[in-house]
Amino acid sequence: MTHIFSTHIKPTVDELIETFGTPEYKGQFIEAWLFEDKKRRKTAEVELLKYGVNAKFRSAYKPLLHFFLEDLDAESKDLSHIEVHYPLHPNAYEKRFLLEMYPLSALINETEINYVAHTKNIDVYDVMV
């Protein structure tokens, strides 16, 4: 067997902890979107808090869906109606960002949800509840 190449790439979450988990960043707030599961992201937030660094690590995988799963306090909101304005990028398939929301409608089946394409802003979601 011939071995041509081998490498190890450190996960981004570990790089963030190494970079910001130092006394010079005490009191700072950092926010990042990562391809890590919820447990690892929350563990990393706690690790940085030991250094006095407040961090919010969000899921980079289907960020809008994970907003509803992890960040929206559904118990304190009236979720009888939700309106989601989604990006519409000229260089992407017109339903590309709608596909990112699957299976949101099934998760909130008691709530009316309307999806509206942004006409001006092509890089963010806006959620109205």
Side-chain angles (χ1 to χ4, degrees), residues 61-98:
Y61 177 70
K62 293 193 172 193
L64 180 73
L65 179 64
H66 280 86
F67 165 76
F68 280 91
L69 293 173
E70 298 175 3
D71 295 326
L72 181 67
D73 183 7
E75 300 299 318
S76 69
K77 301 278 187 206
D78 170 21
L79 294 183
S80 60
H81 177 79
I82 297 172
E83 186 169 294
V84 176
H85 292 236
Y86 62 92
L88 193 61
H89 195 282
N91 295 326
Y93 172 62
E94 68 181 43
K95 294 186 179 180
R96 185 254 188 264
F97 293 99
L98 278 174

Side-chain angles (χ1 to χ4, degrees), residues 85-91 97 116-126:
H85 292 236
Y86 62 92
L88 193 61
H89 195 282
N91 295 326
F97 293 99
V116 180
H118 270 302
T119 56
K120 296 179 184 172
N121 201 343
I122 63 169
D123 60 354
V124 299
Y125 291 103
D126 288 317

Side-chain angles (χ1 to χ4, degrees), residues 33-49:
W33 280 257
L34 306 169
F35 289 103
E36 299 283 347
D37 64 24
K38 183 178 180 179
K39 181 179 177 183
R40 179 63 183 122
R41 288 183 279 119
K42 296 301 174 196
T43 300
E45 290 174 0
V46 170
E47 288 179 46
L48 284 172
L49 197 53

